[in-house]
Amino acid sequence: MTMDKTFDAAEAEPRLYAMWEAEGRFKAGANARPGAESFCVVIPPPNVTGSLHMGHALNNTLQDVLVRWKRMQGADVLWQPGTDHAGIATQMVVERKLAEEGNPGRREMGRAAFVERVWRQKRESESVILGQLRRLGASCDWSRTRFTLGETDDDQMSRAVLTVFKRLYDEGLIYRGKRLVNWDPHFETAISDLEVENVEVDGHMWHFKYPLAGGETYEYVEKDADGNVTLRETRDYISIATTRPETMLGDGAVAVHPSDERYAPIVGKLCEIPVGPKEHRRLIPIITDMYPDPDFGSGAVKITGAHDFNDYGVAKRNGIPCYRLMDTKAQMRADGAPYAECAAEANRLAGVPDPHAESGFVFDTGPKTEDDIDRINLVPDEYRGLDRFECRKRVVAAITAEGLAVTTTDGQGNPVPLVEAKKIMQPFGDRSKVVIEPMLTDQWFVDAAKLAVEARSAVADGRTKFAPENWSKTYFQWLDNIEPWCISRQLWWGHQIPVWYGPSLKVDSLPPHDYELDFEDTIPFCGVDFASAAHNAIESYYRPKGFEFSGVTELESWSALESVADLDGKIPFVRDPDVLDTWFSSALWPFSTLGWPDDTAELKKYYPTAVLSTGFDIIFFWVARMMMMGLHFMDEVPFRDVYIHALVRDDKGRKMSKSLGNIIDPLTLIDQYGADAVRMTLTSMAAMGRDLKLDVSRVEGYRNFATKLWNAARFTELNGCARDPGFDPAACRAPVNRWIVGETARLRASVDAALTAYRFNDAANALYAHVWGVYCDWYLEFAKPLLQGEDDTHRAETRACAAWALDQLLALLHPIMPFVTEELWRQTGPRATPLIHADWPALDPETLADPQADADLGWTIAAIEAIRSARAEMNVPPAAQLELVAVGADEAARARLAAGDALIRRLARLSAVAFADAPPKGALSAAVSGATLCLPLAGVIDVEAERARLRKAAQKAEAEIKGIDAKLANAAFLAKAPEAVVDEQRARRAAAAFEAERLGAALARLAEIA
């Protein structure tokens, strides 16, 4: 067949992909050799609501490079695909659509109807993201596509999640408790740290006085670094500073550092919270803890354990009560008893004196359970139900009006409240964009510390390795400071917690149906489904207590039960309404996708997987948790290697974001330049440990590279080069053919070594340099005289060698640029198999390289490049034919000049080659091994004009360097300019310095001519 003149990516890519998929080329084990080792990669499952972005494009390209490479090597390959149900993200999308369409919200719809609506969204969105991965060329086994949520409760993926929960629950590694979590008031759910964006915003720091109880005073003394007293005064208060005054209502203590001598006289005493009805003010203790910084602010810190993560730690260490102030919408609580009763109860539970009773009277402390404390609403009646930020305004106004704000002076010396305007880091929900509230709530937790022990050991002893290795430090840091993992979310889309609550029995034995339904006092029972949970409840609890019943029934909620009579003798159960954190199900991904908890053939063959490719930002949230779950349930690590890919940034090094308007859509690039160009760009820039600065011009450059490869193939076809099944590369006689055989063998070794070490950029750049700079620019040029000569033997050998070398290139380049290489494979001759299933080149550079041919051809190339460089520097007209004078040439140089005479003269544009013992006058020289090559330029160029041109260019480069140096030496510029701008200036300076050096060398060489 005759090759097409050009490669039409828009036409060829979908056609080739459809062919591969229809022929089953991506299926697990396809092209595997008998007895081959398995190579499995599980795809990081994209969200079903998502679309392909540059991070996806990079990560999936690199995975595809690995699996195509291993598939061609004959390994038993499985690239396991699937998608993530992305609980909060997907629910948000559907709720937003419902609002846009004017439909009832989820609460009006009810849980069952809403979840069905989300399933419809899932089915629509999933096909989009998977289709986009196909556009990129991802060669996953799509027949095995999995979904983290499973399609039904009986689906294997769902059974895996529920089975893991049940086993961990039975082992005591999952429990329900009250802890501080990130709370999203918009979605009314706990969220993970990964779903929180800390943003610097304009804020304020208010300074307030907490009066000492009973009117006590103390001598407050400040000293300088040398111990000299700088301030001494009598105070009846301790001052604190806060950016969130509304949380003062829930303070449990004021803490100071144990070494802070200023407050030593009042440690252990009580102070009064300066807000709320005066007659019901609470007293809180002044304690010591290592957390406060004596050099920051006043050195005293209010401790609000239910609304600050640092405060929570202090409260837990010191037994300080944690009082929740807000509801699920982050409005001030409006439930519970009146404030007067709650304040008194808080004093009782805290064991502090009643400030309104006779001196010395102390309430009975009584029990201090978390539920007792949580029932107490310490929001004063006038603030209840307010938005938290409105409450903040009123609290500040009330304290200021009472004169309990710390004061400073204005420009006229008048006292004013001390309020600092300052930048603060504020947490926002990455989806909701509202301020996140640390909230003390009842949640389900995994005892991650116990699971982390083996997960840490597996990396420490090398069972799993990180690349780059330094990311293991990040992994260890998290595991060494691990907290309980909150796995429950107050959503409707997700795996519902497999725990049902039944009524507790107040006595050991009760008459039939005669019990009080006090559902605040319930017993949890866990099971993979309702039937097993109910059976567990009956056999372990109800029957042993002698309770008689006719059966069991499942209620949607307790409110659905109007009376005991409605039960008709049945025990009612209500399922926990929460769902599991998305990361819980994705933590099982390496083995749940292979069929666990069933004992499948795929599980035996492909687990543990070979390598996980992912981003550094989810080492905590996904990688470590997969390690925990894999080791706990499979007794083996889930993957041997973890490759951490870099971030894709814009050409200025900035993170891509909508606000900056610098997002690059990979699908747009594919439409413009083809998938191969996008893949080659990303792979060539994927240097280990360095972020990618993506310039669209690079993509265009790699499209041109594909065109170069295509034109090279057309050249070989036009010159009669065709695949010869009997061609033996080791039997080549012509030096140029022996040279390209050795170069190709070395390329194969370089590519294999680079991919083995996950140095993707080294593999891509080696291929680029060989295709463009070795095969096209040199070999085909060297081969032209042989292809067009009269020697039939050399012509036949060169035709076969050129076709063979091209075939090896197509195979080596295929994992990175699969489409153009497959099309060239198809168009350059009949093949037994498509390239995707062709054998990976097995070329040994030790046996195929010819040192003599390498030396001779290398010398010739160096000579031509030296001559070309000299001509370019001196601005010699391209058409000018110059004489070359070889000075002091030794025997080897003379032989090489003679052997390559015609070639060197043609490629270097020379009229003749002569030999001499001394350089001719007015000649430019360049040294090569065994000779000095001189180009007489007298009369060819205007030396003075060239000298002026070079000096002008050099002065311009020096001026640019000077200007940039001044800018980089400016401290104000460095402090204010974005990092990307500073980096750009440094890059420009480096480029200008290189140009100045080049021009200086050219001027020095020009001096040789004068």
Side-chain angles (χ1 to χ4, degrees), residues 30 38 58 133 145 187-188 311 330 340 397 410 428 465 495 507 580 588 694 753 799 801 806 835 853 1007:
S38 65
L58 170 65
L133 289 173
T145 301
F187 291 112
E188 297 183 67
D311 291 5
D410 61 15
F428 288 83
K465 298 178 180 179
H495 292 278
V507 294
L580 287 165
L588 321 181
L694 182 61
R799 284 175 171 173
C801 186
L806 179 63
L835 181 55

Side-chain angles (χ1 to χ4, degrees), residues 774-791:
V774 176
Y775 186 79
C776 295
D777 283 359
W778 292 115
Y779 174 67
L780 293 183
E781 288 295 334
F782 290 165
K784 281 179 182 177
L786 301 177
L787 291 170
Q788 298 163 5
E790 300 298 325
D791 188 321

Side-chain angles (χ1 to χ4, degrees), residues 623-862:
V623 177
R625 288 164 177 170
M626 284 190 287
M627 289 288 286
M628 293 179 191
M629 294 300 191
L631 286 161
H632 192 76
F633 289 96
M634 298 295 296
D635 295 321
E636 178 62 279
V637 294
F639 21 73
R640 301 297 186 194
D641 294 334
V642 178
Y643 171 74
I644 303 297
H645 66 73
L647 288 179
V648 184
R649 300 182 179 273
D650 71 7
D651 58 345
K652 295 181 175 62
R654 301 173 301 177
K655 189 174 181 180
M656 294 185 187
S657 69
K658 291 181 180 178
S659 60
L660 290 176
N662 63 345
I663 291 177
I664 300 174
D665 185 346
L667 294 178
T668 300
L669 294 181
I670 291 173
D671 288 339
Q672 290 177 321
Y673 304 111
D676 285 324
V678 173
R679 290 168 61 109
M680 186 66 173
T681 302
L682 294 172
T683 309
S684 68
M685 299 179 71
M688 194 175 287
R690 292 208 306 268
D691 287 348
L692 287 72
K693 294 183 180 180
L694 182 61
D695 187 336
V696 174
S697 65
R698 290 285 297 267
V699 187
E700 183 178 10
Y702 284 115
R703 182 194 59 186
N704 297 339
F705 170 71
T707 301
K708 181 84 169 180
L709 180 66
W710 189 271
N711 290 339
R714 289 194 71 233
F715 172 85
T716 61
E717 182 192 47
L718 292 172
N719 282 273
C721 304
R723 179 173 175 269
D724 180 358
F727 175 73
D728 179 5
C732 287
R733 297 176 61 190
V736 67
N737 293 331
R738 295 201 301 273
W739 171 72
I740 196 61
V741 167
E743 288 288 324
T744 305
R746 281 188 287 270
L747 175 66
R748 193 281 310 159
S750 296
V751 171
D752 275 341
L755 293 182
T756 299
Y758 306 113
R759 290 183 285 105
F760 295 96
N761 64 309
D762 288 347
N765 294 331
L767 286 161
Y768 180 91
H770 184 97
V771 170
W772 199 295
V774 176
Y775 186 79
C776 295
D777 283 359
W778 292 115
Y779 174 67
L780 293 183
E781 288 295 334
F782 290 165
K784 281 179 182 177
L786 301 177
L787 291 170
Q788 298 163 5
E790 300 298 325
D791 188 321
D792 292 342
T793 301
H794 279 168
R795 184 168 61 247
E797 177 188 282
T798 304
R799 284 175 171 173
C801 186
W804 172 88
L806 179 63
D807 272 4
Q808 309 313 301
L809 280 181
L810 296 179
L812 293 169
L813 193 56
H814 177 78
I816 301 175
M817 303 181 76
F819 294 107
V820 68
T821 54
E822 184 73 84
E823 187 68 358
L824 281 171
W825 187 262
R826 190 183 68 84
Q827 293 203 26
T828 53
R831 310 285 184 169
T833 181
L835 181 55
I836 190 174
H837 280 178
D839 289 339
W840 185 254
L843 308 174
D844 181 10
E846 295 295 324
T847 59
L848 291 177
D850 182 337
Q852 188 61 52
D854 291 343
D856 290 344
L857 271 295
W859 190 94
T860 302
I861 291 170

Side-chain angles (χ1 to χ4, degrees), residues 421-457:
K422 60 182 298 182
K423 296 287 186 181
I424 61 173
M425 295 303 294
Q426 196 158 53
F428 288 83
D430 67 341
R431 305 285 181 181
S432 65
K433 306 304 179 184
V434 302
V435 177
I436 296 304
E437 186 67 38
M439 187 84 74
L440 192 63
T441 65
D442 287 303
Q443 302 289 340
W444 286 94
F445 295 92
V446 171
D447 189 346
K450 291 182 179 177
L451 294 175
V453 174
E454 187 62 16
R456 192 190 196 287
S457 297

Side-chain angles (χ1 to χ4, degrees), residues 391-408:
C391 180
R392 174 181 298 178
K393 294 177 184 178
R394 297 198 188 186
V395 166
V396 170
I399 296 175
T400 303
E402 194 174 332
L404 291 177
V406 176
T407 59
T408 185

Side-chain angles (χ1 to χ4, degrees), residues 471-483:
W471 285 113
S472 62
K473 296 177 183 177
T474 303
Y475 175 84
F476 290 142
Q477 182 181 22
W478 185 68
L479 290 182
D480 292 341
N481 297 279
I482 200 165
E483 295 286 338

